[in-house]
Amino acid sequence: MKVAIIGGGIIGLALGWRLAQRGAETTVFERDAIGRGASYAAAGMLAAGCEAEPGEQALGVLNRESLALWPDFAAELEAATGMEVGLRREGTMLIALNRDDAAKLRHDMEFQKSQGIELEWLTPAEARAREPYLAPQLAGAVFSPDDIQVDNRAATAALAEAFRRAGGVLRERMPVRRIETDGSRARGVVTAEGVHAADVVVLAAGAWSAGFDLPVPLPPVRPIKGQMLSVQMDPEIPLLRHVIWAPRAYLVPRRSGLLVIGATVEERGFDGAMTAGGLYSLLDGAWRALPGIEELAVVETWVGFRPGSRDDAPVLGPSALPGLMFCTGHHRNGILLTPVTAAAMAATILEQKLDPRIAPFGIGRFARVRSAA
């Protein structure tokens, strides 16, 4: 089977790796450099527990299944490439800075525990015993032991290498101009070099997935802008060891001492500008949680575009055009959902039968919503 994947982010690369491992002749086409979109901009939080929300029960099940796959997925990836992916398992703390924050955390915790998620309430003293540099005015915290992190940039680079070693072909800076069809099915992709024939085309282009002209509905995916920055801690005496969710920012420590701070959520299209307001919001939110950051050097600032769908869940599985598959719309869960997305989509493509894990996330759900309305 020949498969063409449009999009060289972490999702497209992981799917390509799984397909190549099973003998499919797979090519990934990326409009820019490999892994420089949302996969590069993310923080790498694997937060299936603390991000669980009412109304997203099906997505929560998928998130938790993928989280359970991550340790073995990371180990396999490191063994295949000799490259570390920075999986850290200290857990995540959600902190409250006042009584209202604490009330919200307790309310959210009740729902999350009803979904079988393991959480622990911490008093201010217990929270500071684990993270002594947190703000002195803590009103409490929730500890989520299963919510861990991975270095998303390292994982994406490792997936590109694993894909190549498995026999996959990477075509960087090779935008797909259109999806080739013969009127009845997808037959490949068209680039500046001409037609690249394929038995299956997978649209995994993230926030750019809605930009193709086809006679069937495309995923209703739009860019959701996020501004982020990083500062440098002393790796021998870091200010943080756990991922911290504060009321107005999250903070993700790396083993190198880098501390990633994110992220704004903005409906601004593909506006790639860092703004004074965005930086102020992030720094103020982080400083209120961790005052010691004011002494740290700023290393990097950046903007990314999350691929958001109408219901914030991914669009996975067949399109209305035979031979065209969708694998996009992961919004804030792209890194988290990488292992299960790759496994389920590879099975769906190669076995020509929809994997039940992704059955709730087909594009048909949007048509059903319109019909009901």
Side-chain angles (χ1 to χ4, degrees):
M1 180 180 288
K2 294 183 68 173
V3 181
I5 298 175
I6 306 172
I10 195 169
I11 294 291
L13 292 170
L15 174 57
W17 182 37
R18 290 306 192 209
L19 290 168
Q21 284 178 314
R22 295 178 61 176
E25 186 179 331
T26 308
T27 304
V28 169
F29 295 88
E30 169 54 43
R31 61 190 295 276
D32 198 348
I34 287 292
R36 294 291 296 192
S39 305
Y40 186 85
M45 296 176 297
L46 308 179
C50 66
E51 282 203 279
E53 298 179 357
E56 296 185 351
Q57 281 86 335
L59 178 59
V61 170
L62 192 69
N63 284 344
R64 292 191 290 277
E65 181 164 356
S66 199
L67 175 61
L69 295 176
W70 251 109
D72 287 344
F73 183 79
E76 182 187 357
L77 188 52
E78 290 180 338
T81 63
M83 301 166 67
E84 294 187 359
V85 301
L87 190 75
R88 295 185 60 174
R89 307 184 71 169
E90 292 89 346
T92 293
M93 291 173 58
L94 300 87
I95 65 170
L97 298 177
N98 56 46
R99 292 174 63 182
D100 288 343
D101 295 340
K104 182 179 186 307
L105 284 186
R106 286 188 179 277
H107 177 269
D108 293 345
M109 184 179 176
E110 288 183 11
F111 168 76
Q112 291 156 355
K113 292 185 79 169
S114 76
Q115 302 300 298
I117 298 167
E118 181 183 353
L119 299 170
E120 177 186 356
W121 180 262
L122 302 178
T123 67
E126 290 170 335
R128 277 195 295 271
R130 301 186 188 208
E131 291 291 1
Y133 298 106
L134 289 174
Q137 73 272 20
L138 281 183
V142 171
F143 177 57
S144 180
D146 294 330
D147 285 342
I148 55 179
Q149 65 152 304
V150 69
D151 185 330
N152 47 288
R153 296 180 183 180
T156 303
L159 278 165
E161 180 63 19
F163 175 58
R164 291 188 189 98
R165 293 190 183 191
V169 177
L170 288 177
R171 303 303 306 273
E172 293 186 80
R173 297 181 174 85
M174 183 64 65
V176 171
R177 294 179 173 178
R178 72 174 189 273
I179 296 170
E180 182 76 358
T181 70
D182 64 3
S184 62
R185 65 176 291 116
R187 295 293 183 184
V189 300
V190 178
T191 71
E193 295 179 344
V195 178
H196 301 261
D199 301 301
V200 175
V201 176
V202 182
L203 183 54
W208 290 265
S209 294
F212 291 89
D213 184 15
L214 288 170
V216 297
L218 286 170
V221 174
R222 69 195 189 282
I224 301 176
K225 178 180 177 180
Q227 301 184 53
M228 299 179 67
L229 68 111
S230 61
V231 296
Q232 184 63 51
M233 305 182 292
D234 182 342
E236 301 299 322
I237 316 173
L239 292 180
L240 282 181
R241 293 175 297 110
H242 298 78
V243 174
I244 298 294
W245 282 74
R248 292 173 53 194
Y250 55 73
L251 302 93
V252 184
R254 305 285 196 225
R255 289 197 182 99
S256 65
L258 201 70
L259 181 62
V260 178
I261 301 171
T264 65
V265 179
E266 306 172 56
E267 297 280 359
R268 308 285 289 186
F270 288 106
D271 171 14
M274 290 295 305
T275 66
L279 286 174
Y280 172 79
S281 174
L282 294 173
L283 287 169
D284 184 59
W287 175 81
R288 291 177 185 276
L290 192 71
I293 68 161
E294 67 182 12
E295 303 294 336
L296 303 181
V298 174
V299 176
E300 183 184 1
T301 62
W302 66 94
V303 169
F305 302 105
R306 309 170 186 89
S309 71
R310 290 178 192 160
D311 59 3
D312 294 338
V315 183
L316 305 171
S319 74
L321 179 67
L324 176 63
M325 294 278 182
F326 295 143
C327 189
T328 187
H330 291 76
H331 195 203
R332 64 184 185 271
N333 294 311
I335 310 301
L336 169 62
L337 287 172
T338 294
V340 76
T341 296
M345 285 294 298
T348 297
I349 292 166
L350 296 175
E351 298 165 18
Q352 300 182 41
K353 179 181 179 182
L354 183 65
D355 189 294
R357 291 173 289 186
I358 59 172
F361 303 101
I363 193 168
R365 71 186 190 270
F366 300 110
R368 288 194 295 271
V369 169
R370 287 196 300 272
S371 298

